[in-house]
Amino acid sequence: MPAVSKGDGMRGLAVFISDIRNCKSKEAEIKRINKELANIRSKFKGDKALDGYSKKKYVCKLLFIFLLGHDIDFGHMEAVNLLSSNKYTEKQIGYLFISVLVNSNSELIRLINNAIKNDLASRNPTFMCLALHCIANVGSREMGEAFAADIPRILVAGDSMDSVKQSAALCLLRLYKASPDLVPMGEWTARVVHLLNDQHMGVVTAAVSLITCLCKKNPDDFKTCISLAVSRLSRIVSSASTDLQDYTYYFVPAPWLSVKLLRLLQCYPPPEDAAVKGRLVECLETVLNKAQEPPKSKKVQHSNAKNAILFETISLIIHYDSEPNLLVRACNQLGQFLQHRETNLRYLALESMCTLASSEFSHEAVKTHIDTVINALKTERDVSVRQRAADLLYAMCDRSNAKQIVSEMLRYLETADYAIREEIVLKVAILAEKYAVDYSWYVDTILNLIRIAGDYVSEEVWYRVLQIVTNRDDVQGYAAKTVFEALQAPACHENMVKVGGYILGEFGNLIAGDPRSSPPVQFSLLHSKFHLCSVATRALLLSTYIKFINLFPETKATIQGVLRAGSQLRNADVELQQRAVEYLTLSSVASTDVLATVLEEMPPFPERESSILAKLKRKKGPGAASALDDGRRDPSSNDINGGVEPTPSTVSTPSPSADLLGLRAAPPPAAPPASAGAGNLLVDVFDGPAAQPSLGPTPEEAFLSESWERWGRGMRTGAHPGHPVPLPLPPRFVCKNNGVLFENQLLQIGVKSEFRQNLGRMYLFYGNKTSVQFQNFSPTVVHPGDLQTHILSGLGQPPTKRVAAQVDGGAQVQQVLNIECLRDFLTPPLLSVRFRYGGAPQALTLKLPVTINKFFQPTEMAAQDFFQRWKQLSLPQQEAQKIFKANHPMDAEVTKAKLLGFGSALLDNVDPNPENFVGAGIIQTKALQVGCLLRLEPNAQAQMYRLTLRTSKESVSRHLCELLAQQF
Amino acid sequence: MIKFFLMVNKQGQTRLSKYYEHVDVNKRTLLETEVIKSCLSRSNEQCSFIEFKDFKLIYRQYAALFIVVGVNDTENEMAIYEFIHNFVEVLDEYFSRVEPINELLKIGSALEPQQACFSPASSFKGAVSAPPIY
């Protein structure tokens, strides 16, 4: 390729540049530039036609001035003129100017495009390359629109020169990245793949880049590239170090091309063809072998290039994750690098090993390097390498080494860089929870965490320890003892005070027997921290105090004194003031029993994915999920570590734990609502908008209900049952009239119902599963739309009065509903149940099992009648049809029972195919009657059903079809 | 994949920049400042790879000149690291004396790193943009 040769050096330009460089000040430079601009302008405007050389020179000067940061508003025309020159240097400067200073002046763009077109068609490879480079460098959508269709043709044309093909491939890649929609896929794609076989290594390199990008969108179109890439790779890997001439870099044959081929293979799963796979495995082994051979050169460039290939090879091995032998070899190789004197290699080895740790085949092999990695964590001078070491420790952790790793990470935390402390804290917290063998170790670890790096312990972490302690009886006493000891430190972190306050408030009684931690001692210890803490912590401590009054009546007088103090009762902070006032009143007004109920121990938290894990995932982005998700290598995570297991639940059966507090009416898999903000742990637990503190005189009822919420709010949340989304109706109730409609840990609702014509009667049974009385128990029926229902008093103790209805612990109450269907309807009426449990308001809304098919009147008829009516209902809107896959085993008897339960009559000997079911019935409503015919055709072979419904009303056809289809 | 290629001197002045993804011109200045800051703050003991925002920087220092390549996280760090050296060798070969300012135009016109193409016979000419010398 001709360069700007020294003799062609445009003296005027050199002089101008050295003038500029000699300028003493900015002003002098501007003056010199203005003079030059005036000169160029006059030359361009002059009558005398400029020759190509002068034009080139002046355009160059303009370009230089532009690069110095000055605006250029003329000369574009001259540059465009240069494009049509036949001299390389002139054309080149023209293209350079266009690439740098292109503007969307439409007149010029037309001219430029024209010049590019001419050059592309010129068959002069140098000119074609210049034009292609210009298209790629501008890379705009307009350029794409003008040329995207031509370039593939040039790329695969048999007579294109190598350099042109190379440029065309890269140009196409650029256009494809900028606007993928403009590049037409077509038969050329198959031929592009064959460029991998090209003689010219530059063409192959460019083609690999292009194919790697294209195949991500259309993997199947480029699948043939696998075998070609493997054979090309194999030829390179096995070539002698000098075979490839220009493409040999310090005795390494084509290192960058090898890397690219290996990367291309990572777009696909392992080759299916055994021969191809065998050849590839051979290549990978060769690369691993070469790493052990003595280097062919002492130069660092040689080993760098070799290692580049080696790392990419290991990436591919990890990507396939199917060759245990290779994985272990890769791990050993990386193990050698862990102690290499080059920091870069240590860094990369730690990084690659992190991904190896998540493979079941190499996890054990990675673990053997634990001491080296711990040493790296302690001694590496580079923070980014230490960070990688910490990541690797996290990835290789399992039950066998958790204690060692956690303690090393805790030690590292004391000296860790501030930037990564929070992440380390999260990791320690997760490992401690996940691999906890006993809970005292877990509690110790988290408290240590708070002690060492309290500032970096986010809320999620200390919420989590509270959740776990609350849910595990066996650790509560130990936790209370440990926090009590930790709080003895003269200076302890505020997070420690929070955890201590909460735990002692709940479980302080467990250590009260010891005179060293008697109630007054506990209280004075906590209170000694009170004044140093923030408002949120003080609010939490006030809640602890009121709980102390319940736990330890002997502290009542002292605590009331504290609450009564002016600094509390007249606190400037409204939250603290309100708590002080309310708690003081509560402690003096309420009887011991009421107090005990209100201030009872917190119920266990529902288990769900650890929010700490979620936070770490957020921090690391989605890519980190694989390293974190080690479910497959530790499938036996037991109950201790249940927090990381997904909550088992299905939509149809509301999970009991999900509704522990009854505040969360939607089924558990629902996404956290917007009010949960950043997906905070306890917001998640309590769900719902925070209750506003009522500032007016507080009626006792509201007061009681709020005191429990306060606990939550001390931890940034509160709860009010808003308007919950009704729970979906379990589909089985479409065909059944009796059963358990809803059940959680508190409440069970059973239902029994009967229907005749358009009337129905439903018995609802509310069972209190706890030992505590439900207060203000009030179930009401909401009937949206046309379905009017009446609630009549029955024989039992129906809670018809909204106030003061109570359900004793373990008791069951009954409610009777009379139902009348006035017209056809789509959504069932809702049952809304509200009550107070232990002072906390509970609310849930469910759909009553009343669907339109309950008002079915079966009709028997002969085949002839059936077909006559079937034909009468032949308008397209009268028919609804659904074809669906069977969700349950296809048993004719079960199907029959379901259809009968659905309400229609089953007609035998109607359908010529005995496998099919045919039914008929009339839906009875007060306003009208709707005749229904149905036909269900099972296909046992395909495990599919076809369901057809014909009724005289379009909405009824569709609704019945949907209801019935979900039954099979 | 390479996102950008920068040549910056120790004073923090950009000598050559090439972006392979669209970045606003005013954001480029900001980005380049941050990039060179994080490179300058590193010692010889530290590795040549920096995690920077959502991508990685790979840098090498030649006397007063830093060459920094921004890549996404699927890129092979070692390959890019050695590519930088290859690039410098080519510059050395092509111009017997690499001096940023005089040769600016020539570098710009004759030698520009090819997008994702590591052949020594680099022939992908392209735009060069550099700020004022002051």
Side-chain angles (χ1 to χ4, degrees):
Chain A
M1 187 78 37
V4 186
S5 69
K6 302 279 189 278
D8 195 23
M10 292 184 282
R11 223 180 83 77
L13 178 64
V15 170
F16 174 60
I17 292 176
S18 73
D19 277 3
I20 295 282
R21 293 193 72 194
N22 290 333
C23 284
K24 296 272 187 293
S25 65
K26 188 92 188 160
E27 288 71 33
E29 182 195 305
I30 292 173
K31 215 172 142 198
R32 178 70 186 85
I33 285 171
N34 284 338
K35 189 179 148 202
E36 193 61 41
L37 284 175
N39 174 39
I40 299 172
R41 214 184 288 264
S42 75
K43 294 283 188 207
F44 282 170
K45 280 199 178 148
D47 302 330
K48 219 177 83 193
L50 290 171
D51 59 5
Y53 169 79
S54 313
K55 257 190 229 163
K56 176 182 76 172
K57 186 176 70 183
Y58 294 130
V59 167
C60 255
K61 283 183 180 175
L62 288 178
L63 201 46
F64 186 73
I65 293 169
F66 174 76
L67 292 182
L68 288 176
H70 300 268
D71 282 338
I72 297 296
D73 53 4
F74 67 103
H76 299 80
M77 204 53 191
E78 283 71 16
V80 173
N81 284 341
L82 284 176
L83 296 184
S84 42
S85 163
N86 273 329
K87 278 197 179 140
Y88 171 77
T89 52
E90 289 168 16
K91 202 184 267 289
Q92 180 204 25
I93 294 297
Y95 272 121
L96 180 59
F97 188 92
I98 299 299
S99 304
V100 176
L101 272 124
V102 80
N103 68 24
S104 40
N105 180 329
S106 58
E107 187 58 24
L108 272 181
I109 287 283
R110 207 173 51 78
L111 289 171
I112 295 168
N113 284 357
N114 216 13
I116 294 178
K117 261 209 164 81
N118 287 338
D119 279 338
L120 286 181
S122 70
R123 302 193 155 269
N124 176 332
T126 319
F127 292 176
M128 289 173 89
C129 283
L130 278 177
L132 288 168
H133 299 165
C134 178
I135 298 170
N137 278 320
V138 175
S140 64
R141 199 168 168 86
E142 290 78 22
M143 282 283 179
E145 278 165 359
F147 300 109
D150 297 337
I151 298 169
R153 201 172 34 75
I154 297 175
L155 177 60
V156 297
D159 56 348
S160 289
M161 299 279 288
D162 291 337
S163 59
V164 175
K165 278 194 216 162
Q166 190 177 347
S167 298
L170 293 174
C171 181
L172 195 58
L173 173 60
R174 173 63 191 253
L175 291 182
Y176 181 79
K177 276 184 184 164
S179 7
D181 54 309
L182 288 182
V183 178
M185 294 295 152
E187 53 93 37
W188 63 272
T189 51
R191 298 171 67 181
V192 159
V193 173
H194 284 278
L195 291 178
L196 292 177
N197 264 337
D198 202 282
Q199 295 280 314
H200 190 273
M201 297 292 263
V203 175
V204 183
T205 311
V208 179
S209 297
L210 179 64
I211 295 168
T212 307
C213 185
L214 292 176
C215 78
K216 285 191 178 127
K217 248 217 179 119
N218 319 292
D220 289 339
D221 292 358
F222 293 90
K223 229 175 168 177
T224 44
C225 75
I226 301 174
S227 63
L228 291 173
V230 169
S231 69
R232 174 57 87 172
L233 182 69
S234 145
R235 267 177 284 159
I236 296 173
V237 168
S238 57
S239 67
S241 50
T242 48
D243 283 358
L244 297 169
Q245 291 160 353
D246 276 358
Y247 286 83
T248 301
Y249 181 82
Y250 289 89
F251 303 102
V252 183
W256 292 285
L257 178 54
S258 312
V259 165
K260 279 179 169 294
L261 288 166
L262 288 163
R263 176 108 29 86
L264 172 61
L265 291 171
Q266 285 172 58
C267 300
Y268 289 95
E272 286 151 15
D273 183 331
V276 176
K277 188 164 184 197
R279 203 166 174 194
L280 179 56
V281 168
E282 210 172 285
C283 281
L284 302 178
E285 278 171 347
T286 314
V287 175
L288 289 172
N289 291 341
K290 278 192 178 173
Q292 298 300 330
E293 288 168 12
K296 294 198 178 70
S297 157
K298 287 241 153 48
K299 289 244 164 86
V300 67
Q301 286 88 342
H302 171 76
S303 56
N304 279 349
K306 231 167 87 175
N307 289 336
I309 302 174
L310 181 60
F311 278 115
E312 203 61 50
T313 302
I314 293 175
S315 298
L316 183 64
I317 293 172
I318 296 170
H319 169 76
Y320 286 164
D321 196 12
S322 60
E323 301 283 330
N325 176 33
L326 289 177
L327 281 160
V328 170
R329 282 193 67 185
C331 183
N332 294 341
Q333 182 60 53
L334 293 176
Q336 288 180 18
F337 285 155
L338 285 182
Q339 312 210 39
H340 202 278
R341 61 189 159 78
E342 281 237 16
T343 317
N344 284 341
L345 284 182
R346 295 198 302 273
Y347 174 92
L348 293 174
L350 288 167
E351 193 181 53
S352 295
M353 227 182 221
C354 215
T355 40
L356 270 179
S358 55
S359 161
E360 55 184 319
F361 301 115
S362 50
H363 182 69
E364 288 303 315
V366 171
K367 272 167 64 186
T368 58
H369 299 286
I370 184 165
D371 293 328
T372 322
V373 181
I374 287 175
N375 197 38
L377 191 64
K378 284 179 181 159
T379 57
E380 277 295 345
R381 298 205 191 157
D382 182 352
V383 52
S384 35
V385 183
R386 288 199 297 271
Q387 165 108 48
R388 287 286 84 82
D391 285 351
L392 177 54
L393 282 181
Y394 177 77
M396 68 162 74
C397 189
D398 61 18
R399 210 172 294 279
S400 71
N401 54 18
K403 278 199 175 172
Q404 187 187 8
I405 286 178
V406 165
S407 76
E408 289 298 343
M409 283 173 107
L410 272 176
R411 194 168 312 147
Y412 172 54
L413 199 53
E414 300 192 39
T415 54
D417 303 79
Y418 296 107
I420 60 171
R421 282 196 181 185
E422 189 179 352
E423 201 184 311
I424 302 265
V425 167
L426 286 176
K427 285 183 168 162
V428 170
I430 290 166
L431 293 180
E433 178 184 337
K434 198 152 135 191
Y435 300 118
V437 191
D438 59 291
Y439 270 102
S440 49
W441 176 73
Y442 169 74
V443 170
D444 284 342
T445 305
I446 300 294
L447 292 184
N448 260 332
L449 212 51
I450 297 175
R451 192 175 50 74
I452 296 169
D455 284 342
Y456 298 91
V457 174
S458 56
E459 284 170 333
E460 283 86 352
V461 172
W462 68 265
Y463 288 175
R464 189 71 191 152
V465 72
L466 294 184
Q467 284 192 344
I468 288 180
V469 170
T470 307
N471 289 8
R472 306 276 156 196
D473 309 347
D474 45 340
V475 76
Q476 288 161 355
Y478 181 80
K481 182 164 156 286
T482 323
V483 289
F484 179 78
E485 279 161 9
L487 285 173
Q488 309 263 338
C492 58
H493 195 271
E494 188 161 337
N495 280 339
M496 186 73 87
V497 179
K498 287 180 184 164
V499 174
Y502 189 100
I503 290 184
L504 291 181
E506 291 289 320
F507 312 113
N509 53 330
L510 299 177
I511 56 167
D514 188 328
R516 284 168 300 177
S517 52
S518 66
V521 178
Q522 285 188 35
F523 172 72
S524 58
L525 180 63
L526 279 178
H527 200 54
S528 68
K529 317 280 181 197
F530 186 87
H531 303 280
L532 305 170
C533 292
S534 67
V535 169
T537 310
R538 276 190 271 167
L540 189 148
L541 285 179
L542 286 180
S543 296
T544 303
Y545 296 168
I546 187 71
K547 297 208 103 185
F548 270 7
I549 291 186
N550 177 43
L551 288 179
F552 316 123
E554 66 266 38
T555 58
K556 186 170 175 177
T558 328
I559 289 174
Q560 280 181 333
V562 169
L563 292 174
R564 203 177 286 119
S567 58
Q568 310 305 347
L569 278 188
R570 280 190 294 280
N571 197 299
D573 185 89
V574 71
E575 176 69 36
L576 290 181
Q577 188 187 66
Q578 193 185 354
R579 283 189 190 216
V581 172
E582 290 181 0
Y583 291 163
L584 184 60
T585 319
L586 175 66
S587 67
S588 23
V589 172
S591 69
T592 336
D593 285 351
V594 171
L595 216 52
T597 314
V598 173
L599 301 171
E600 201 203 4
E601 198 176 286
M602 285 291 274
F605 290 85
E607 287 292 355
R608 56 188 64 195
E609 186 194 31
S610 160
S611 61
I612 314 178
L613 202 57
K615 178 164 178 164
L616 187 66
K617 279 182 189 159
R618 273 203 304 282
K619 260 181 101 72
K620 299 284 277 187
S626 59
L628 298 169
D629 176 25
D630 67 342
R632 67 177 161 163
R633 72 159 196 258
D634 190 19
S636 63
S637 46
N638 62 14
D639 57 324
I640 290 192
N641 309 302
V644 291
E645 287 169 19
T647 317
S649 60
T650 57
V651 179
S652 57
T653 48
S655 158
S657 67
D659 225 359
L660 183 65
L661 298 181
L663 302 173
R664 195 188 161 87
S675 66
N680 190 288
L681 177 67
L682 286 187
V683 174
D684 203 20
V685 171
F686 285 95
D687 206 356
Q692 289 299 315
S694 47
L695 295 174
T698 332
E700 195 191 5
E701 184 191 78
F703 171 52
L704 289 177
S705 75
E706 279 190 11
S707 73
W708 259 107
E709 292 168 25
R710 283 307 155 69
W711 258 114
R713 198 137 37 93
M715 307 188 317
R716 284 205 6 222
T717 155
H720 244 349
H723 296 285
V725 186
L727 293 167
L729 182 65
R732 63 176 185 278
F733 277 102
V734 172
C735 295
K736 275 177 72 180
N737 288 335
N738 308 328
V740 174
L741 185 61
F742 171 84
E743 184 162 10
N744 69 7
Q745 296 186 349
L746 306 179
L747 178 69
Q748 184 192 56
I749 303 178
V751 67
K752 242 177 145 173
S753 52
E754 52 195 29
F755 295 88
R756 186 162 303 142
Q757 302 216 322
N758 68 328
L759 299 175
R761 174 169 296 168
M762 180 176 290
Y763 301 88
L764 289 163
F765 303 92
Y766 304 96
N768 180 346
K769 291 171 68 183
T770 70
S771 52
V772 179
Q773 193 182 55
F774 291 163
Q775 284 144 337
N776 295 6
F777 191 82
S778 88
T780 50
V781 174
V782 188
H783 30 88
D786 302 331
L787 191 79
Q788 190 187 347
T789 53
H790 305 276
I791 303 173
L792 299 180
S793 303
L795 295 172
Q797 295 83 39
T800 46
K801 284 196 286 176
R802 287 182 56 83
V803 214
Q806 289 158 351
V807 185
D808 289 327
Q812 191 183 62
V813 296
Q814 186 187 355
Q815 185 184 28
V816 184
L817 301 179
N818 282 347
I819 299 161
E820 180 180 11
C821 180
L822 301 178
R823 318 172 49 100
D824 56 297
F825 61 96
L826 300 177
T827 49
L830 305 179
L831 175 70
S832 162
V833 183
R834 284 162 192 271
F835 59 96
R836 294 189 189 284
Y837 165 65
Q842 311 283 333
L844 63 99
T845 303
L846 9 131
K847 289 186 174 167
L848 281 174
V850 181
T851 45
I852 184 79
N853 63 297
K854 302 286 184 199
F855 304 98
F856 237 127
Q857 195 76 12
T859 319
E860 296 288 345
M861 59 178 83
Q864 200 186 352
D865 292 345
F866 181 86
F867 284 118
Q868 195 189 349
R869 285 170 209 223
W870 186 262
K871 275 178 203 141
Q872 279 168 358
L873 297 169
S874 59
L875 290 175
Q877 62 265 32
Q878 289 171 332
E879 181 179 290
Q881 192 172 67
K882 231 178 168 156
I883 298 171
F884 51 94
K885 261 210 129 40
N887 285 321
H888 304 285
M890 295 173 84
D891 181 329
E893 286 309 308
V894 175
T895 307
K896 217 176 250 181
K898 279 184 178 165
L899 284 174
L900 288 173
F902 192 67
S904 74
L906 271 182
L907 307 180
D908 295 330
N909 307 324
V910 172
D911 201 299
N913 182 348
E915 300 289 309
N916 294 347
F917 300 91
V918 170
I922 297 167
I923 291 194
Q924 305 273 359
T925 76
K926 194 174 175 191
L928 74 166
Q929 300 187 335
V930 185
C932 305
L933 303 175
L934 70 87
R935 183 173 185 218
L936 180 71
E937 298 156 276
N939 179 341
Q941 218 158 18
Q943 289 289 305
M944 303 275 283
Y945 288 100
R946 179 162 69 189
L947 174 65
T948 315
L949 265 140
R950 286 191 179 184
T951 77
S952 47
K953 223 172 158 199
E954 184 189 356
S955 58
V956 176
S957 301
R958 268 190 287 120
H959 187 54
L960 283 177
C961 187
E962 273 164 33
L963 283 175
L964 194 53
Q966 47 178 323
Q967 298 303 316
F968 298 103
Chain B
M1 204 190 82
I2 300 181
K3 287 170 176 255
F4 58 79
F5 189 100
L6 295 177
M7 281 168 85
V8 197
N9 67 14
K10 261 194 157 166
Q11 287 78 49
Q13 297 163 319
T14 308
R15 284 294 162 229
L16 183 142
S17 71
K18 175 75 185 170
Y19 288 84
Y20 299 99
E21 269 179 8
H22 181 75
V23 179
D24 269 357
V25 177
N26 14 351
K27 282 192 184 149
R28 289 183 184 192
T29 329
L30 201 70
L31 177 79
E32 285 162 22
T33 322
E34 284 181 55
V35 164
I36 187 64
K37 233 195 248 165
S38 45
C39 290
L40 280 172
S41 65
R42 294 177 66 95
S43 68
N44 290 339
E45 288 156 357
Q46 294 189 276
C47 66
S48 315
F49 319 119
I50 310 174
E51 275 166 55
F52 185 82
K53 297 184 182 166
D54 57 340
F55 51 95
K56 258 193 181 145
L57 301 176
I58 296 160
Y59 71 95
R60 279 184 98 142
Q61 189 181 357
Y62 292 92
L65 198 63
F66 278 92
I67 296 180
V68 191
V69 184
V71 300
N72 67 359
D73 58 346
T74 57
E75 191 53 80
N76 182 317
E77 290 94 341
M78 209 33 132
I80 297 291
Y81 180 75
E82 205 45 36
F83 168 66
I84 296 175
H85 187 74
N86 188 10
F87 176 70
V88 171
E89 280 189 7
V90 173
L91 283 190
D92 258 345
E93 190 84 1
Y94 208 82
F95 312 100
S96 47
R97 188 176 56 104
V98 181
E99 195 188 318
I101 295 162
N102 274 355
E103 306 294 343
L104 203 63
L105 271 178
K106 286 190 190 167
I107 296 177
S109 61
L111 266 172
E112 186 62 21
Q114 288 190 13
Q115 176 173 19
C117 172
F118 304 126
S119 78
S122 182
S123 63
F124 204 58
K125 293 159 201 77
V128 58
S129 56
I133 327 178
Y134 293 97

